[in-house]
Amino acid sequence: MIIDIHGHYTTEPAALGLFRDRQLAGLADAARRPSPGSLKISDEELIESVQPQIKKQQERGGDLTIFSPRASGMAHHVGSADISAVWTSVCNDLIHRVCTLLPQNFAPVGQLPQFPGRAPSECIPELRRIVEELGFVGVNLNPDPSGGHWSGEPITDRSWYPLYEVMCELDVPAMIHVSSSCNHNFHATGAHYINADTTAFMQLIQGDLFKDFPTLKFVIPHGGGAVPYHWGRYRGLAQELKRPLLAEHLLGNVFFDTCVYHLPGMELLAKVIPTDNILFASEMLGAVKGIDPETGHHYDDTKRYIDALAFLDAEQRYKIFEGNARRVYPRLDRRLSARAADSAA
């Protein structure tokens, strides 16, 4: 099975965008703020909206995509904490509906109602709702809900601990994923995303988070940002900071996806990062949707790059494409095992 752990709902029906526009207009006039029940999208519209993802999934040999709301659309810095909470629940409910309608193609991951200056613990009710009631297999966690100003505490700070306690209780991992940037110095996908991936990893080096939460799991997307390319730098910094070696300090809990959009980058990732810590992903349809003029193929057809890595053996390929995802997302594994049992019966 080919499991893509990084897919976003980037082809939402137009009604969702209109709902968001009305919601934000309500900042000036609360009477104009829409209720969640006012959003009307039929099952047929939802199924039609994800056909581009399904088409690419089938063309590229994929089987299942872990599906979450549009990352840039989370926009935790926009509006108010109350608006973020409503927006989050609306987006998560749509993900639930898509994954319920098309369980062979998608498994659900949710966003959290984060907001600058608010305690991460305020996200716990929504986390419990989507996991315990809606069957989500993971969450996206924004290390910078300020939108590029980094005004909050590092993800190793104790203010995050109540949220991590519940994540461990529920046995769900988090993908470390920022949203849109409101800082004009940082292009969202070209700079802010990669900055965040790299920054989160360095924060984890500096802290002792996994001593307190030995079962907590994070996925750092986009190939880990600058981390694999500068692996020697981070190993050296860990030594200078009197941290344990990275393999024992972080690699039991931190994983990297394969949203790397050229073959040399994928080769580097697969040679530097242990196979047990790499999960297949494409972010399709997402950050880079064009065709590479040097190859004639889409940049985000990441399976093609992995297939071209002759130094990977069959066991390594299985881990990257399926085994690691089932291990890091245990609720996904249970979902797939139950489906296989039902088919066998």
Side-chain angles (χ1 to χ4, degrees), residues 237-254:
L237 285 171
Q239 286 180 226
E240 290 181 16
L241 294 169
K242 310 303 181 186
R243 303 283 85 192
L245 296 176
L246 289 187
E248 59 185 86
H249 187 39
L250 300 184
L251 292 187
N253 306 81
V254 178

Side-chain angles (χ1 to χ4, degrees), residues 201 223 227-228 231 235 246-248 250-258 266-280 311-312 315-317 319-320 324 327-328:
F201 189 79
V227 171
W231 193 244
R235 290 176 58 234
L246 289 187
E248 59 185 86
L250 300 184
L251 292 187
N253 306 81
V254 178
F255 305 86
F256 303 82
D257 80 10
T258 65
M266 195 71 78
E267 289 176 331
L268 174 73
L269 176 69
K271 287 180 178 179
V272 171
I273 302 300
T275 302
D276 285 348
N277 293 80
I278 300 174
L279 285 72
F280 173 67
F311 57 84
L312 295 178
E315 181 181 4
Q316 289 174 307
R317 292 178 190 279
K319 288 180 177 181
I320 291 171
N324 292 342
R327 178 166 54 90
V328 175

Side-chain angles (χ1 to χ4, degrees), residues 162-206:
L163 182 63
Y164 297 156
E165 288 171 1
V166 178
M167 287 173 55
C168 291
E169 174 197 334
L170 298 176
D171 207 9
V172 291
M175 177 175 282
I176 303 295
H177 206 309
V178 287
S179 185
S180 52
S181 171
C182 62
N183 184 332
H184 67 271
N185 289 289
F186 302 122
H187 182 276
T189 55
H192 186 41
Y193 283 15
I194 308 303
N195 291 349
D197 304 333
T198 310
T199 297
F201 189 79
M202 189 65 214
Q203 290 177 0
L204 293 171
I205 288 177
Q206 293 175 276

Side-chain angles (χ1 to χ4, degrees), residues 82-93:
D82 290 341
I83 281 179
S84 180
V86 172
W87 176 240
T88 294
S89 65
V90 164
C91 291
N92 286 340
D93 286 347

Side-chain angles (χ1 to χ4, degrees), residues 28-48:
D29 180 4
R32 299 169 61 188
R33 192 176 301 173
S35 67
S38 68
L39 178 62
K40 304 296 184 184
I41 302 175
S42 70
D43 289 351
E44 291 74 18
E45 289 177 286
L46 290 177
I47 292 171
E48 180 61 28

